[in-house]
């Protein structure tokens, strides 16, 4: 067990050390979709198994934790516990879910390149997969949201805004487009009503996910910031008596701030692409109206 985890840690560090988790999630998701896009379209149920199991595990953990039932204390640090938390330990859950949702949103505003058109055919499946992971993670974090409401004075403003406010809003907001991606819910809506519902919920969801990413990374960055004037080679004593180097904290701060910048860049690019698409869609309508007026003048 120890050797296997050491190997996983080594591979993870070689590939992703210093890389923001969101970038890791986007790269892995794009590669995965490029390889399995056809298989997802033909055998989608198979690809729901992994996120479905994460959904059940995270929901169980979060709900029981709300009622003060700590599964870690109940199970102990066994092999099963390690396996259950392995995806979370290597950021193979939340950031993958976020990446899937971001890709779904960008598909709607990007030019219709060949790969974009291919992904468009599995947009529903990607929404379901991303939603299963993110909703499960949100339910798992309900105790954290509750704790944030009760301990606002102990947290900086970014973390309070992320956990106590945006976390709750996102959990509700993501549920609507996710549940209506399933056929049983979609068939109850008219095509026009479904499209309107998706637009009115998905666009705010995309923007708020980015805002959440910015806020939570800035929050954790400032929370562990050792001080810009301190030497990175100095050490500090943690609450448990262990020595913590400023270099280690500085690395975490840099990664957090870089992640915040990445979320900001994605939000700006998405808004720009969406405005560009809306402007492009409105142009033909204007041209038709101008042509109709011209024809009337010519007739008269």
């Amino acid at each position: 067990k120890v050797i296997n985890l050491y190997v996983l840690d080594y591979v993870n560090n070689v590939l992703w050390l210093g890389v923001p988790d969101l970038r890791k999630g986007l790269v892995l998701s794009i590669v995965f979709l490029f390889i399995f896009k056809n298989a997802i379209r033909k055998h989608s149920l198979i690809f729901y198994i992994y996120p479905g199991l994460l959904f059940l595990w995270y929901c169980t953990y979060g709900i029981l934790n709300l009622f003060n039932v700590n599964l870690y204390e109940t199970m102990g640090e066994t092999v099963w516990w390690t396996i259950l938390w392995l995806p979370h330990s290597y950021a193979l859950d939340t950031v993958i879910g976020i990446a899937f949702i971001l890709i779904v949103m960008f598909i709607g505003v990007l030019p219709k390149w060949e790969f974009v058109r291919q992904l468009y055919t599995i947009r529903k499946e990607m929404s379901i997969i991303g939603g299963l992971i993110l909703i499960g993670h949100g339910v798992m974090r309900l105790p954290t949201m509750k704790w944030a409401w009760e301990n606002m004075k102990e947290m900086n403003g970014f973390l309070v805004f992320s956990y106590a406010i945006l976390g709750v809003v996102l959990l509700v907001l993501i549920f609507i487009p996710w549940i209506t991606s399933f056929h049983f819910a979609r068939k109850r809506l008219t095509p026009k009503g479904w499209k309107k519902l998706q637009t009115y919920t998905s666009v705010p969801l995309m923007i708020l996910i980015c805002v959440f990413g910015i806020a939570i990374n800035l929050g954790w960055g400032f929370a562990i910031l050792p001080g810009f004037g301190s030497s990175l080679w100095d050490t500090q004593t943690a609450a448990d008596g262990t020595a913590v180097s400023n270099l280690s904290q500085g690395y975490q701060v840099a990664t957090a701030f870089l992640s915040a910048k990445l979320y900001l860049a994605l939000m700006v690019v998405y808004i720009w692409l969406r405005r560009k698409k809306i402007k492009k869609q409105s142009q033909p309508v204007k041209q038709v109206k101008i042509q109709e007026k011209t024809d009337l003048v010519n007739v008269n």
Side-chain angles (χ1 to χ4, degrees), residues 132-170:
L132 281 168
I133 297 173
L134 289 186
I135 292 173
H137 180 82
V139 173
M140 181 182 72
R141 290 299 184 189
L142 284 175
T144 307
M145 298 176 196
K146 178 184 175 184
W147 181 87
W149 276 103
E150 297 170 348
N151 299 272
M152 287 187 179
K153 294 181 179 179
E154 300 179 17
M155 307 169 71
N156 61 49
F158 288 113
L159 289 178
V160 171
F161 179 62
S162 302
Y163 284 121
I165 300 173
L166 265 186
V168 180
V169 173
L170 281 173

Side-chain angles (χ1 to χ4, degrees), residues 75-95:
M75 296 177 63
E77 195 169 348
T78 61
V79 174
W80 280 111
W81 177 266
T82 303
I83 293 173
L84 288 169
W85 279 109
L86 205 59
H88 190 68
S89 302
Y90 293 99
L92 295 175
D93 54 351
T94 314
V95 292

Side-chain angles (χ1 to χ4, degrees), residues 4 101 179 236:
N4 290 338
I101 297 300
I179 196 67
Q236 299 179 21

Side-chain angles (χ1 to χ4, degrees), residues 57 61 64-76 81 85:
W57 165 235
Y61 180 86
L64 289 178
N65 214 343
L66 275 177
F67 294 97
N68 299 317
V69 178
N70 192 316
L71 282 179
Y72 179 77
E73 294 179 356
T74 303
M75 296 177 63
W81 177 266
W85 279 109

